[in-house]
Amino acid sequence: MKEGFRQSMAWLHSWAGLLVGWILFAVFLTGTAAYLRPEISYWMRPELALSRPGPADAEVAVKAMQGMAPNSPTWFITLPSERETTTRVFWREGGGRGRGRGFREAVLDPATGHPVEARETMGGEFFYRFHFQLHYMSVLWGRWIVSICAMFMLVAIVSGIITHRRIFADFFTFRPGKGQRSWLDGHNVCAVLALPYHLMITYTGLVLFMLMVMPWGIDRAYPGGRQAFNAEAFGSAPPRPRANTPAPLAPVLPLVEEAQRRWEGGRVGRIVVANPGDANATIQLVRADSERISYNPQSLTFDGPTGALIQDSGEGRPAAEVRGWMYGLHIGRFAGPFLRGLFLLSGLAGTVMVATGCVLWAVKMRQQAAKKGRVGFGTRLVEHLNIAAIAGLPLAMAAFLWANRLLPVGMEERAAWEVHVFFIIWGLCFVHPLFRRGRQAWVEQFAAGAAAFALLPALNALVTQRHLLATLAEGDIVRAGFDLGLLACAALLGVLAWKVARHQPATARARRPAPKAALMPAEAAE
Amino acid sequence: MMRAGLPVPSAASLRARLPPGAELRRAGGIVLRILAGVGGGYAVAALSTTVLSLGLPMQRAEAVLTATMASFAVYAGAVVWAFAARNAWRACAGIAGTAALLVAVLYLLQGHLP
């Protein structure tokens, strides 16, 4: 009975993992890259100068918006921080037709308020968006697909834990160079090492879109719509209607100082101005994400013309705070450099866990096929997809950065083409294994990825002024660190290519005893 | 040890030893479990979310958030049950029974709501 239970959990684990393994791998790897979203964006806009956030940023940004979008119903301003050296703004288009649907955005120089003169690029935003809504499909579809994959992941994790009776012993078990066993050990080490992280990131990922995928509670409890829910859950005040009487906006600097005083030195991260220029305008100051784990915005809302405080929303009720904590833990913006490094490593461990799981499946199938004497289509398909999804993605990510440096600066649809290049190269990685079987395809894609990353700093030196020597001399730690990080990626992929190239398949060395191979998934349970 | 409907990982090696009808029953059992786990599990999670949203003794928005956050644990538990039950029929019965219970509670809750 016990044994049957564990075996069925092993079955569930391997199928739940395999079916969505390739998407999960991409989600994990690009999601891990998204921890460095501001740094990637900064590197991808070499025209930007090194600048530090200053006290006048808010004032400059509001002035700029008054010039650019005086008739807009709402402005959203994200102020620069230690990690982000530009002011990002977006606003709803006005035009007197009430709630316009169109949004416009711009990236501003924090000192002057003019749009920055930089190449058109999505920057790190691309990896960030891709990891939860994919690309080339509606945002809604992408989010549903990723949420479903996350649910599979949760099931795979839970059944994996049940399968691994020896969970702590497995942690100290690594038998390298033993073929399938080494893959299994590698998979176990990556899974167990960062298990709390994997559970956390998967569950919190589901919670981020929970009202989309599980709307039944909120729809039944709030038949009148979600505005009432938002007001009760997060204390968000209902928007004030436009008075249609013009009134100038109060200076924003004193409000920022007031916020800093109330938050005991806390920094303003975002400014939301509703109905600017109207007598019923409001200015909402939202505390920076980097200062609290919980993502529930701590915010102050002021009357636009007078600057009088209308609302101070601080800590929410328990469940709202728990959700805020989950949200905050997932996006990890509260983390300082050290903790962010740990998040990055844990994300990589998750990526490796998914990858070794997919490879393990193929290795197991291959061994069963060897006994039967023929390799089925399913095994070939899994092997093929493994190569393209696992070895191909890093190469495609490098290609994205290459495109950023090589596409002409004035090109039409430049940002979109950077993304197209990413998918073209990734697509080629799916074709390549048709011509180069098995190990050769792995080695070549890993090696190509290593070369692409290794040459990026050199390319960077050729086509921009922001090369490693210049950035190091200037003290631009972010750009210098990014170039060094690219070299580290190259080294990692190079090692993988080398390891795969000199790997001797277990079947070629000695025929292993058959019963062990047949019972593979249950082995972990012993 | 070998029961029809129990998914066994090393199925390929065991297949040869099974009588002809057993293979079909095994596949049918897996399909039933998948339906019970994925479809039935979602239904149970959705019902539990609704019941808890309306029934938890806390502020309405708090109850909704708590219920919805917990729903994925309920779903995962239902899927594990669907594949852990001794046979496929028990798996289906367990999911259906839980769903029926939740529907009954929901009915009662709505009877008491103003």
Side-chain angles (χ1 to χ4, degrees):
Chain A
M1 183 69 223
K2 267 255 150 115
E3 203 48 40
F5 173 58
R6 200 159 276 129
Q7 282 194 341
S8 49
M9 285 301 109
W11 185 91
L12 182 60
H13 177 72
S14 47
W15 280 101
L18 182 81
L19 281 181
V20 297
W22 302 293
I23 298 181
L24 283 176
F25 177 83
V27 167
F28 256 90
L29 190 57
T30 52
T32 304
Y35 284 132
L36 299 176
R37 175 169 63 152
E39 286 76 13
I40 296 173
S41 298
Y42 182 55
W43 187 89
M44 290 179 80
R45 291 193 183 94
E47 295 84 359
L48 297 190
L50 184 65
S51 65
R52 287 276 157 254
D57 292 344
E59 195 75 57
V60 172
V62 168
K63 284 247 161 58
M65 292 309 294
Q66 279 167 336
M68 273 194 298
N71 298 320
S72 158
T74 329
W75 303 337
F76 302 87
I77 302 169
T78 305
L79 294 175
S81 66
E82 293 80 23
R83 298 180 65 198
E84 188 100 50
T85 60
T86 52
T87 302
R88 286 177 303 150
V89 294
F90 77 111
W91 65 94
R92 232 189 229 119
E93 278 197 315
R97 277 172 286 110
R99 290 172 68 89
R101 278 187 166 263
F103 278 100
R104 303 220 13 220
E105 56 185 321
V107 179
L108 307 182
D109 182 329
T112 64
H114 298 308
V116 291
E117 304 278 328
R119 61 193 61 203
E120 198 197 317
T121 178
M122 276 185 81
E125 195 75 14
F126 169 62
F127 295 134
Y128 172 70
R129 301 227 163 174
F130 178 80
H131 105 275
F132 63 82
Q133 60 195 25
L134 309 178
H135 201 78
Y136 295 131
M137 63 177 78
S138 89
V139 166
L140 210 62
W141 271 96
R143 291 178 181 195
W144 266 99
I145 292 173
V146 172
S147 293
I148 291 169
C149 291
M151 195 61 222
F152 270 81
M153 178 82 184
L154 183 62
V155 168
I157 291 177
V158 171
S159 53
I161 294 171
I162 297 172
T163 310
H164 289 236
R165 190 168 46 191
R166 301 191 324 146
I167 198 153
F168 291 102
D170 274 343
F171 178 55
F172 297 104
T173 311
F174 187 58
R175 293 158 285 190
K178 290 246 166 43
Q180 179 192 293
R181 254 181 205 284
S182 304
W183 286 111
L184 183 60
D185 291 346
H187 184 64
N188 290 347
V189 168
C190 288
V192 177
L193 184 68
L195 182 59
Y197 173 85
H198 302 322
L199 260 181
M200 178 278 283
I201 210 74
T202 308
Y203 207 92
T204 54
L206 284 164
V207 165
L208 294 196
F209 293 127
M210 67 180 184
L211 294 179
M212 181 187 77
V213 297
M214 197 61 76
W216 312 106
I218 187 173
D219 285 356
R220 194 54 83 91
Y222 290 88
R226 297 203 176 171
Q227 197 160 43
F229 168 78
N230 284 331
E232 284 183 32
F234 308 117
S236 48
R240 295 209 291 192
R242 222 181 159 84
N244 287 323
T245 331
L249 213 54
V252 75
L253 198 56
L255 308 185
V256 171
E257 281 163 359
E258 167 76 8
Q260 281 169 343
R261 199 180 56 71
R262 282 178 177 263
W263 295 333
E264 292 160 357
R267 215 171 46 76
V268 175
R270 277 179 300 142
I271 303 175
V272 181
V273 182
N275 301 321
D278 188 82
N280 259 354
T282 54
I283 304 175
Q284 187 188 23
L285 304 183
V286 186
R287 192 163 177 182
D289 305 335
S290 56
E291 301 194 337
R292 299 171 76 220
I293 293 183
S294 172
Y295 189 68
N296 277 0
Q298 199 176 16
S299 71
L300 297 172
T301 308
F302 299 92
D303 181 66
T306 64
L309 184 65
I310 304 174
Q311 197 190 20
D312 177 357
S313 68
E315 303 258 314
R317 289 168 201 266
E321 269 312 284
V322 168
R323 180 193 160 278
W325 271 66
M326 287 193 174
Y327 204 130
L329 275 175
H330 189 94
I331 58 177
R333 274 181 217 153
F334 67 91
F338 176 71
L339 199 53
R340 195 168 335 119
L342 282 183
F343 265 69
L344 210 62
L345 285 180
S346 302
L348 279 180
T351 312
V352 174
M353 171 182 75
V354 175
T356 49
C358 291
V359 171
L360 184 56
W361 208 94
V363 169
K364 189 189 91 191
M365 290 295 286
R366 180 59 84 158
Q367 285 186 343
Q368 286 185 354
K371 269 187 293 149
K372 272 193 292 181
R374 77 188 167 82
V375 181
F377 173 74
T379 310
R380 283 188 198 284
L381 183 71
V382 169
E383 287 177 345
H384 185 124
L385 290 176
N386 276 350
I387 296 169
I390 296 169
L393 181 58
L395 176 59
M397 290 168 84
F400 180 64
L401 300 179
W402 274 78
N404 174 259
R405 289 298 191 253
L406 289 182
L407 292 179
V409 169
M411 183 180 173
E412 285 278 299
E413 302 273 305
R414 190 180 184 285
W417 268 100
E418 286 182 5
V419 176
H420 295 331
V421 168
F422 170 88
F423 283 105
I424 289 168
I425 297 295
W426 202 10
L428 289 177
C429 290
F430 279 87
V431 178
H432 171 243
L434 289 176
F435 303 103
R436 307 286 284 170
R437 285 250 165 257
R439 193 137 55 104
Q440 277 169 326
W442 277 106
V443 173
E444 285 168 6
Q445 294 201 8
F446 274 137
F453 273 109
L455 293 175
L456 264 173
L459 173 73
N460 190 27
L462 280 177
V463 299
T464 73
Q465 308 299 317
R466 308 280 185 191
H467 52 83
L468 200 47
L469 292 178
T471 49
L472 278 176
E474 216 179 302
D476 189 345
I477 298 167
V478 174
R479 283 205 180 91
F482 199 91
D483 271 356
L484 293 173
L486 293 173
L487 292 176
C489 292
L492 196 67
L493 290 170
V495 167
L496 282 173
W498 184 62
K499 283 273 181 204
V500 178
R502 59 183 284 273
H503 170 69
Q504 295 283 321
T507 43
R509 274 179 309 189
R511 206 157 275 283
R512 290 154 55 79
K516 277 210 166 155
L519 273 172
M520 206 292 304
E523 225 171 48
E526 285 161 14
Chain B
M1 170 89 188
M2 281 308 306
R3 279 172 304 268
L6 178 76
V8 179
S10 51
S13 59
L14 294 165
R15 204 167 285 159
R17 273 177 272 151
L18 293 174
E23 172 63 15
L24 205 65
R25 284 180 44 201
R26 182 181 161 278
I30 291 180
V31 170
L32 268 182
R33 285 172 195 267
I34 290 173
L35 288 176
V38 176
Y42 185 81
V44 166
L47 281 168
S48 87
T49 308
T50 316
V51 166
L52 291 176
S53 290
L54 299 179
L56 280 179
M58 44 178 97
Q59 189 225 22
R60 189 165 57 148
E62 288 283 286
V64 167
L65 284 171
T66 308
T68 314
M69 283 191 287
S71 67
F72 303 108
V74 173
Y75 196 176
V79 173
V80 166
W81 161 257
F83 285 90
R86 211 182 311 143
N87 61 53
W89 293 114
R90 275 179 74 102
C92 291
I95 299 279
T98 313
L101 190 71
L102 286 167
V103 168
V105 176
L106 186 60
Y107 186 78
L108 286 179
L109 276 174
Q110 289 191 315
H112 288 296
L113 282 182

